[in-house]
Amino acid sequence: MARPQTPYQVLRLLPKDATPAQQDSAIQAWLKDVEIRYSEQPDTLHLPGEGIPRDMTTAEIPLYYRENFFSNDTLYHEELQAGGSGVAGDPVPETLSNDNVITGLLIICFLFIAFTLSRISGFIVKQLKDFFYVQRADRDVTETGNEMKFQFVFVGLTCLVYGLLYYLYATAYIADTFTLSSQYSILGIFVGVFMLYFLLRFSLYHGINILFFDKRRNTKFLTSFLFITAMEGAILFPILLLLAYLHFSPVYAAIYVTAVVILVKILTFYKSYVIFFRQNRVFLQIILYFCALEMVPLLTLWGGLSVIVDIFKIKI
């Protein structure tokens, strides 16, 4: 292969994903600087009748070209550092309200919630009646395939809402910048952690209940648990919109989210007692059951999120 003679030929030898630093190093390695040596022989090819031409190696210019009115002005010379005038502006911070991707995602979620509530509103009312009405004989609430699919999508919506809410909390009170190159990366990590949290809770309930209780009561509880988790995201979605676009008070938002979480825990405790422990009436067992399957995963979730934020935040 012939040795490249020009920078273009050198760049063609490099892969397409070569960085500018790699391209510069390759050019310097292949193409060496050559000292220009001008001929010292007199030029005898000038026009007849003309004097000896000017020496091309000298670069003297007249004084009126070298000095003028603006010679001492720093703005006239780019190589001199000049002081800026005016007041530096504050950069616009990255928020959910001015992010097109997050805004589009929230619009899609809002349309999905409105569409779903209009399609399965009867099922939701029937689930609420069955949830609070304790019958002597157990009766299952039948669910169609579409109703189950909508509930699973609502669980995904719950994870998304919790991920966005914790992202707002972390950027407001812990750190506003992270080592990751994009805010979508840290946001995706938060959403993934909440998905893992709800999957872990579902697996723990299914695994423990199948050991100590019959399959019918276990299925009934998991159906209620899925319904609670699905409605949890729909209840929290309005407060997310208020925080993102209407600058709602973070204190009131924290109170609202805390109240929703406590309400969800109370409803889960109530449903566990009604389905599994109402006949035995042993309160110590239900308390241990609730602490092991609700409070321990919740504390683990909060600790895990704190560790993740501490790892990725920029430490000064």
Side-chain angles (χ1 to χ4, degrees):
M1 183 179 63
R3 182 182 179 86
Q5 302 296 326
T6 63
Y8 173 73
Q9 294 176 351
V10 175
L11 295 179
R12 292 192 61 185
L13 299 177
L14 299 176
K16 294 182 179 180
D17 58 348
T19 62
Q22 294 173 342
Q23 295 175 0
D24 184 67
S25 300
I27 292 175
Q28 293 183 15
W30 281 95
L31 304 178
K32 302 297 183 180
D33 294 336
V34 179
E35 182 181 358
I36 300 176
R37 298 179 179 274
Y38 293 98
S39 176
E40 298 179 354
Q41 301 297 325
D43 185 8
T44 60
L45 299 177
H46 57 272
L47 296 176
E50 298 289 337
I52 298 176
R54 182 175 61 87
D55 187 2
M56 299 301 295
T57 60
T58 60
E60 295 182 358
I61 59 176
L63 178 62
Y64 56 82
Y65 281 133
R66 287 185 280 112
E67 295 183 3
N68 54 51
F69 181 77
F70 300 101
S71 296
N72 297 325
D73 192 347
T74 55
L75 298 178
Y76 186 72
H77 298 275
E78 296 181 356
E79 70 276 7
L80 300 178
Q81 184 177 4
S85 58
V87 179
D90 296 330
V92 178
E94 293 185 0
T95 59
L96 297 184
S97 58
N98 57 23
D99 190 287
N100 295 330
V101 176
I102 300 299
T103 300
L105 184 62
L106 292 179
I107 291 176
I108 294 175
C109 293
F110 175 78
L111 295 177
F112 173 79
I113 291 175
F115 172 77
T116 303
L117 293 180
S118 64
R119 290 289 301 272
I120 62 172
S121 58
F123 166 76
I124 294 176
V125 173
K126 185 168 58 176
Q127 275 278 21
L128 290 174
K129 290 181 179 179
D130 181 76
F131 193 91
F132 294 103
Y133 180 64
V134 181
Q135 298 178 341
R136 294 182 180 178
D138 292 336
R139 180 178 61 87
D140 297 332
V141 178
T142 58
E143 298 179 349
T144 63
N146 290 333
E147 292 169 347
M148 289 292 296
K149 293 177 182 178
F150 283 136
Q151 289 187 86
F152 278 113
V153 176
F154 263 93
V155 172
L157 175 66
T158 302
C159 298
L160 176 62
V161 171
Y162 270 120
L164 289 171
L165 288 174
Y166 191 82
Y167 174 79
L168 292 174
Y169 164 77
T171 54
Y173 296 102
I174 302 178
D176 55 352
T177 54
F178 299 91
T179 57
L180 299 176
S181 59
S182 174
Q183 65 171 346
Y184 304 126
S185 301
I186 190 67
L187 184 58
I189 292 175
F190 290 157
V191 176
V193 169
F194 279 102
M195 287 185 176
L196 182 63
Y197 165 71
F198 285 109
L199 180 61
L200 176 63
R201 287 179 62 199
F202 187 88
S203 302
L204 287 175
Y205 274 118
H206 177 72
I208 292 187
N209 292 340
I210 205 69
L211 291 176
F212 297 99
F213 309 104
D214 57 86
K215 181 179 179 180
R216 186 170 182 273
R217 285 192 291 176
N218 186 27
T219 303
K220 186 176 179 62
F221 175 79
L222 291 179
T223 301
S224 301
F225 178 73
L226 179 64
F227 176 74
I228 294 174
T229 307
M231 292 299 101
E232 188 176 359
I235 296 174
L236 290 173
F237 188 74
I239 201 66
L240 174 62
L241 297 180
L242 292 176
L243 281 172
Y245 300 103
L246 297 180
H247 304 288
F248 192 70
S249 173
V251 177
Y252 294 124
I255 295 174
Y256 180 86
V257 174
T258 304
V260 171
V261 173
I262 293 175
L263 178 62
V264 168
K265 300 304 179 185
I266 292 175
L267 293 177
T268 306
F269 180 86
Y270 165 77
K271 205 62 183 178
S272 303
Y273 173 76
V274 169
I275 296 177
F276 299 123
F277 300 96
R278 179 166 57 95
Q279 298 177 353
N280 299 331
R281 295 182 179 181
V282 181
F283 292 98
L284 181 60
Q285 292 181 359
I286 183 63
I287 292 175
L288 295 176
Y289 175 88
F290 179 79
C291 291
L293 300 183
E294 283 293 334
M295 302 310 298
V296 172
L298 182 62
L299 296 176
T300 304
L301 170 68
W302 187 260
L305 290 173
S306 301
V307 171
I308 290 174
V309 172
D310 186 68
I311 291 174
F312 290 108
K313 74 177 182 180
I314 297 179
K315 302 178 178 64
I316 300 177

